[in-house]
Amino acid sequence: VLNNLRAPHVAMPLTYTQFEILTSRVVIERLIARKQHLLAIKCAKYLNLPDAVNRALEHWAICKIECASSAIRDRDLVHEIRAKIDAFSTDFSYARIARAAQQQRSSDLATLLLEFEPRSKIQVHSLIEFEQNTTALKKALASLDMDLIHETLIELIQQYYDRKTWFKLFEIIHAHNHALQQNANSVDYDASSPYNTVMHNLLIQCFVDVLLNEYDSDDHYKALLHEFLTYSQNSSSYAVLTDEQQQFNLNLLASTNLKKALSMILKSPQLRNDEQGYDVDLDRDDNQQFMQYLESATVNFEKLRNKFNVSMCADLKRITIFQRQFDRKMQDTFGDHGKPKRNAASRKTLGLSVNETIAVMLEMGQQKDAEKIKKEMFISEQRWWYILMNVYVKKREYEKLCAYIDKHTSSRRPPPIGYLPIIEAFLEMNEVEYAKRYILKIGDIDEKLEWLCQLKLWMDAVDVAVDEKDFDALQTIKHNCHDSKVVQRIEKILDNLK
């Protein structure tokens, strides 16, 4: 390296000490600054500095673009640059070269260079920077990176923000989605496979998701979504729709309307977490709009013969009606003109899940309403018991829980969830006595003894072992217990047997 630096055409006569002080990277940077690119590359390779190799190649390529004659075609220039880079590096980023090409020559040259960029994220971001949004969308789809696809779609929406250009935007979305379908169909296509199911209309679904994210905060996005859905149904270029495309459009409309309905519930004034008590319910217009969205979603799901989603829409409608009725009832009972009479009444159920709704009703002491929800929404006994147990334990109403358990169970009819979850719930609250009450009701003797020994309830364990005439268990208890009274009692029992 030092001998090459001392050559007359380089003129950098350095001693070894000077080279060490400057460091190899600084020396290579100076060679690059002097446009001694080939020597810089060879020195970097010899010193095992791959990033310095890429830096020298990058500087050479930028110089090549700056000095290239306008008579040279862009493709020929890209081919020459590409050949030189491939000869020296296998991990090279073309983003900075493309940026220089954009500034010094043309966007076309920059786009051609970015075709060889190995990192999708850098490639797409650079294309967006150069305002090549359509090409960026194509590359983002090729990468299947959902973040990149969404970023590119947002840029396209901003590019075609004017209402007069929306038709062009819709054509781009459908054309790229169709190309994606063709690509998926070309290799071992199986319509039933999860991959092809997702890929078939990936871009359209992503576009709708982007619009839905801003649907409630921006009227422009709202209008754009309505226009796009109408275009997807009625576009002359897609007049003859396949069964799959028709099903997708129906599913898209149904899903969109369902999301709008859910959004109205979740963002209603009634769900504010303030200290003013019950707010007003959804007004009549909002309620009517919510029902229209839900009915529209239901109709489209019925056309698709999607029984599960139809059932879910019906359940959503029923639970929403129950929640509104309950919230109004609580408002009339505990509040006056929006001001609560007690803090316990400030809980609201609109927008909650079925489980959460039942839990809130039980917390507020409205067990009959909770049981009505259980019956109407076909809640299983196991789920009901879990919700009820968690609510009572959380409120530390242990006697109330025990009374309910004792009333609805017997020796022949244990709880639907078994005794184990009840025992664990009591132990989480350090209520050993309550836990012991139900440990003694466990049918399996070994499990019962294991629990009692774990909790060091030795006397109770001895009583159980004696009642079951399990003398091996007595020996085990004697071996593990260090309480002298318990040991003496066991020895007395065993002596009497002898």
Side-chain angles (χ1 to χ4, degrees), residues 97-116:
I97 302 176
R99 191 173 289 110
Q102 166 80 6
Q103 295 168 355
Q104 300 291 333
R105 194 172 172 99
S106 67
S107 297
D108 293 338
L109 178 59
T111 305
L112 287 171
L113 286 166
L114 284 173
E115 286 290 328
F116 304 104

Side-chain angles (χ1 to χ4, degrees), residues 235-351:
S235 172
S236 59
S237 58
Y238 287 86
V240 181
L241 297 173
T242 64
D243 290 341
E244 288 181 355
Q245 187 68 43
Q246 288 175 347
Q247 286 185 355
F248 174 76
N249 286 339
L250 285 172
N251 190 51
L252 192 64
L253 289 166
S255 301
T256 303
N257 284 316
L258 187 56
K259 287 178 182 177
K260 290 176 188 174
L262 290 170
S263 147
M264 291 191 69
I265 294 177
L266 296 174
K267 295 183 180 179
S268 68
Q270 193 180 13
L271 297 177
R272 296 176 193 154
N273 294 318
D274 53 26
E275 298 179 356
Q276 299 301 315
Y278 273 85
D279 296 310
V280 294
D281 196 356
L282 285 170
D283 61 35
R284 185 174 299 175
D285 291 339
D286 285 343
N287 184 36
Q288 187 176 3
Q289 188 70 56
F290 166 78
M291 288 299 177
Q292 284 177 356
Y293 285 145
L294 201 54
E295 287 297 332
S296 177
T298 304
V299 168
N300 286 317
F301 283 132
E302 285 174 346
K303 289 178 181 177
L304 290 167
R305 297 179 182 176
N306 191 328
K307 294 181 180 178
F308 177 78
N309 283 353
V310 171
S311 175
M312 290 299 100
C313 288
D315 287 346
L316 175 61
K317 184 176 180 180
R318 289 214 309 278
I319 190 62
T320 304
I321 292 170
F322 288 139
Q323 288 171 338
R324 285 208 186 95
Q325 290 173 349
F326 179 78
D327 288 347
R328 288 196 189 102
K329 174 184 170 183
M330 292 298 100
Q331 184 179 13
D332 295 339
T333 304
F334 298 115
D336 183 20
H337 302 296
K339 295 181 180 180
K341 293 182 180 177
R342 63 178 185 176
N343 292 334
S346 61
R347 295 295 304 277
K348 310 170 188 67
T349 60
L350 186 62

Side-chain angles (χ1 to χ4, degrees), residues 121 124-125 140 144-154:
K121 189 173 183 179
V124 171
H125 286 170
L144 293 180
D145 185 323
M146 300 306 293
D147 290 335
L148 291 179
I149 293 172
H150 279 84
E151 286 179 39
T152 312
L153 286 172
I154 290 169

Side-chain angles (χ1 to χ4, degrees), residues 96-220:
R96 289 186 182 177
I97 302 176
R99 191 173 289 110
Q102 166 80 6
Q103 295 168 355
Q104 300 291 333
R105 194 172 172 99
S106 67
S107 297
D108 293 338
L109 178 59
T111 305
L112 287 171
L113 286 166
L114 284 173
E115 286 290 328
F116 304 104
E117 173 57 49
R119 297 168 183 83
S120 298
K121 189 173 183 179
I122 295 174
Q123 184 184 46
V124 171
H125 286 170
S126 297
L127 287 167
I128 290 173
E129 181 186 336
F130 304 152
E131 297 182 355
Q132 301 291 323
N133 295 324
T134 306
T135 308
L137 179 60
K138 181 181 177 181
K139 298 300 180 184
L141 285 170
S143 72
L144 293 180
D145 185 323
M146 300 306 293
D147 290 335
L148 291 179
I149 293 172
H150 279 84
E151 286 179 39
T152 312
L153 286 172
I154 290 169
E155 292 297 329
L156 274 170
I157 291 169
Q158 294 302 318
Q159 180 181 345
Y160 294 96
Y161 196 83
D162 188 353
R163 196 182 190 100
K164 295 177 181 178
T165 62
W166 284 358
F167 183 78
K168 177 66 176 174
L169 173 61
F170 300 158
E171 281 189 334
I172 291 170
I173 299 298
H174 275 284
H176 280 76
N177 189 74
H178 183 67
L180 194 64
Q181 289 175 4
Q182 294 298 109
N183 187 50
N185 293 354
S186 63
V187 183
D188 297 329
Y189 180 69
D190 178 9
S192 62
S193 75
Y195 174 79
N196 286 313
T197 301
V198 172
M199 291 292 291
H200 202 68
N201 284 292
L202 177 68
L203 182 57
I204 292 177
Q205 188 62 60
C206 287
F207 185 66
V208 172
D209 288 341
V210 168
L211 297 178
L212 282 174
N213 285 338
E214 302 293 334
Y215 185 85
D216 292 308
S217 58
D218 192 328
D219 290 338
H220 180 82

